[in-house]
Amino acid sequence: VVLLKQVVALAPAYHAARLDLGHAQAEMHDLEDAIATHEEAIRLEPRNYNAYVGLANALARSSKTEAAVDAYEKAIECNPEVAGTYLGLGNVLKTLGRQAEAIAAYRKGISIRPNFSELYWSLSNLKTFRFSDDEIEAMQSLLDADDVADDHVVHLSFALGKACEDAGDYELAFQHYQRGNTVRRMQESYDPVHTEDIGVSVRRVFSREFIERASGYGHPGVRPIFIVGLPRSGSTLLEQILASHPLVEATHELPEGGRLVRYIDQHRTTRDRYPGALNNLPAEFFTTLGKRYDEETRRYRAGAPYFIDKMPNNFANIGLLALALPDAIFINAMRDPLDTCLSCYRQLFARGQSFTYDIEELGLYYLEYRRMMEHWHDVFPGKVLDVKYESVVSSLEQEVRRLLNHCALPWNEACLEFHNTERAIRTASSEQVRQPIYKDAVGYSLRFGAAIDELRDVLAPVLAD
């Protein structure tokens, strides 16, 4: 970034360098700078397609979704024959709940580039969308082609899995998911032993004695509501319910909580990394961590008294976040273990969640999650509220009252009418939580029968709970 800034300063007319600068700033999460850089590029070259796309991407990542739609549309005006632009446009339209327009954008991209497999997968990821027979035939033809690229196999397999589910053929659906997951797993770097080792270390460091010594520091006055758990456990539904309250604003799955771990490693005083590094840092360091989280998340917040951070992986960081942010609130989104894990296995994630692409590793990760939550309940009694998806579905008002009481929020009827709340939603469940409560997802794993017996075996220790 520093070198590109120097290039732009020395040669302001070198537009390629300016675009590279904007891209680099976005990759470094300097999103406001990236937006400004691309806006300057557009001022200098008002018909520059790449500048509009770069601006749209930075705006989308900054949760400025309406502005991102406008930037993508201007990019299309500059060059209407690039299929990838319709992918980006469809994604931000989906985020805003403009499903019909998103479908039209994805299909327009396919008309330009019929073998663009990610567009088919994006249609399937709308969840409530149903493919036409012609689209299913086209996807199968692409998948059956000679020397099909791995990325195409992944996207098409997940899309066809969804199409088979919609047709009621769960055995064939699972075969498609299995193929897509197997290929995707080869693209991921994930070590389940390392995950378990880290979990053991975190539980060892965050003992009751350690927590007692470190309590009383941190950065008070900030009230994030952390919704944690595994993906596909109903966390977006809980977020939508809480975001319907006038005192609460939703952000999205913020990476800042996890980045505190990196910050600790950078400031450790011994060779020990997190979590062991905390044993050699003063308790006052938790105040620094809390202030850092507060400052870095302000870019996502509009100023409501409460804000939601829905990064599910923060379940492993509850001890760290609770000590750094003493006024933080924690909610553990829970769902039937088989339904949770199968739903993860059926979902192709944009990034992260590398534990989901092997059925055994997925089950083992779930068991590690449960061990971690049991530990937090033990050392922070009453700090974390468990909310079961099945209970929300069967007893909505009762569970909403539990949620609001835990957050010290006054009752508000809008939380029961959560599906009427208009906001940008970036997760895979965006279309589902725009509907009233429905029960179709409860016990969904039963439809897959013997196909998931391996998962049942791994999860046996918790299935009787």
Side-chain angles (χ1 to χ4, degrees):
V1 171
V2 173
L3 292 176
L4 285 168
K5 283 183 177 180
Q6 292 175 349
V7 171
V8 170
L10 291 170
Y14 189 1
H15 297 301
R18 193 180 301 276
L19 294 178
D20 285 344
L21 172 60
H23 177 74
Q25 289 169 327
E27 289 301 302
M28 296 292 292
H29 299 281
D30 297 327
L31 297 175
E32 292 302 321
D33 289 344
I35 291 169
T37 297
H38 284 109
E39 286 176 338
E40 178 64 10
I42 290 167
R43 188 186 70 79
L44 295 170
E45 279 193 309
R47 299 292 297 172
N48 189 307
Y49 163 82
N50 289 319
Y52 278 112
V53 169
L55 175 62
N57 290 338
L59 289 167
R61 292 176 63 181
S62 300
S63 300
K64 298 178 180 180
T65 317
E66 293 277 7
V69 170
D70 183 61
Y72 276 123
E73 288 176 340
K74 285 187 167 62
I76 289 169
E77 289 176 13
C78 296
N79 188 346
E81 298 303 318
V82 181
T85 321
Y86 295 94
L87 174 63
L89 175 61
N91 290 343
V92 290
L93 289 168
K94 169 185 180 288
T95 298
L96 291 170
R98 293 160 61 177
Q99 187 185 90
E101 294 171 82
I103 292 170
Y106 292 141
R107 283 178 163 159
K108 176 63 176 177
I110 290 170
S111 72
I112 294 170
R113 189 173 148 196
N115 67 343
F116 196 168
S117 60
E118 189 172 353
L119 286 163
Y120 285 109
W121 172 76
S122 297
L123 283 167
S124 74
N125 201 40
L126 288 167
K127 305 303 182 189
T128 54
F129 172 83
R130 300 294 181 268
F131 285 108
S132 69
D133 290 343
D134 287 344
E135 287 168 329
I136 293 172
E137 184 178 345
M139 288 190 290
Q140 191 64 60
S141 295
L142 290 170
L143 192 57
D144 292 340
D146 294 332
D147 299 323
V148 58
D150 284 351
D151 283 345
H152 291 317
V153 172
V154 172
H155 288 126
L156 293 168
S157 294
F158 276 90
L160 283 166
K162 173 63 165 56
C164 289
E165 280 191 63
D166 293 338
D169 192 339
Y170 297 98
E171 184 177 352
L172 183 56
F174 190 80
Q175 291 174 18
H176 281 300
Y177 290 133
Q178 200 166 36
R179 181 179 180 184
N181 276 295
T182 299
V183 175
R184 180 57 182 263
R185 179 63 183 90
M186 292 187 294
Q187 300 172 334
E188 295 286 341
S189 176
Y190 174 67
D191 182 355
V193 175
H194 178 70
T195 296
E196 187 171 344
D197 288 345
I198 289 293
V200 169
S201 297
V202 168
R203 293 189 287 275
R204 184 183 301 122
V205 169
F206 285 93
S207 64
R208 289 184 175 183
E209 293 74 22
F210 178 86
I211 290 168
E212 186 176 346
R213 288 198 307 272
S215 294
Y217 296 93
H219 180 54
V222 187
R223 287 186 283 187
I225 302 173
F226 291 100
I227 302 179
V228 304
L230 255 66
R232 314 295 296 149
S233 293
S235 57
T236 304
L237 174 58
L238 299 183
E239 177 190 42
Q240 182 76 351
I241 290 169
L242 288 170
S244 301
H245 197 287
L247 298 180
V248 182
E249 62 180 306
T251 55
H252 54 89
E253 296 179 359
L254 304 183
E256 279 71 17
R259 285 186 193 152
L260 293 181
V261 171
R262 258 183 282 165
Y263 186 78
I264 292 167
D265 285 342
Q266 291 167 358
H267 292 79
R268 66 187 192 273
T269 56
T270 66
R271 300 177 74 176
D272 285 342
R273 300 178 69 85
Y274 178 86
L278 290 172
N279 288 320
N280 300 294
L281 290 168
E284 292 87 345
F285 194 70
F286 282 105
T287 305
T288 302
L289 295 174
K291 288 180 178 178
R292 185 174 181 83
Y293 177 88
D294 180 18
E295 291 167 1
E296 292 195 347
T297 57
R298 286 181 186 177
R299 71 184 88 173
Y300 310 110
R301 294 147 52 188
Y306 297 76
F307 68 96
I308 302 168
D309 181 340
K310 202 183 75 67
M311 176 60 76
N313 310 71
N314 275 329
F315 75 83
N317 299 325
I318 286 176
L320 172 63
L321 295 168
L323 293 174
L325 299 157
D327 293 330
I329 298 159
F330 297 91
I331 296 165
N332 177 31
M334 300 185 69
R335 186 182 175 192
D336 173 83
L338 279 172
D339 286 347
T340 297
C341 292
L342 178 62
S343 191
C344 286
Y345 195 67
R346 293 161 52 230
Q347 178 65 47
L348 175 60
F349 293 94
R351 64 181 67 85
Q353 318 305 356
S354 56
F355 63 91
T356 62
Y357 301 112
D358 177 277
I359 204 79
E360 182 179 5
E361 292 174 348
L362 175 54
L364 291 173
Y365 190 92
Y366 184 89
L367 296 179
E368 172 59 27
Y369 148 72
R370 288 288 290 266
R371 285 191 290 269
M372 190 65 77
M373 294 312 303
E374 287 172 6
H375 178 74
W376 298 134
H377 282 308
D378 180 50
V379 297
F380 288 109
K383 187 70 172 176
V384 183
L385 179 71
D386 290 340
V387 181
K388 294 183 178 180
Y389 172 76
E390 294 81 4
S391 298
V392 176
V393 168
S394 63
S395 306
L396 178 62
E397 182 172 339
Q398 176 181 317
E399 292 304 304
V400 170
R401 289 188 182 278
R402 285 184 69 232
L403 268 173
L404 297 185
N405 286 340
H406 182 70
C407 298
L409 284 165
W411 174 254
N412 194 286
E413 290 286 338
C415 296
L416 295 179
E417 302 295 325
F418 61 87
H419 52 282
N420 294 323
T421 300
E422 294 187 7
R423 67 181 186 87
I425 307 172
R426 295 172 62 175
T427 66
S429 304
S430 60
E431 299 309 304
Q432 294 158 311
V433 299
R434 291 188 172 107
Q435 307 172 53
I437 283 287
Y438 61 95
K439 300 183 178 181
D440 292 358
V442 176
Y444 195 84
S445 57
L446 295 174
R447 305 180 192 193
F448 286 78
I452 59 171
D453 278 349
E454 182 182 1
L455 181 60
R456 288 189 179 90
D457 290 341
V458 179
L459 293 175
V462 296
L463 291 184
D465 291 0

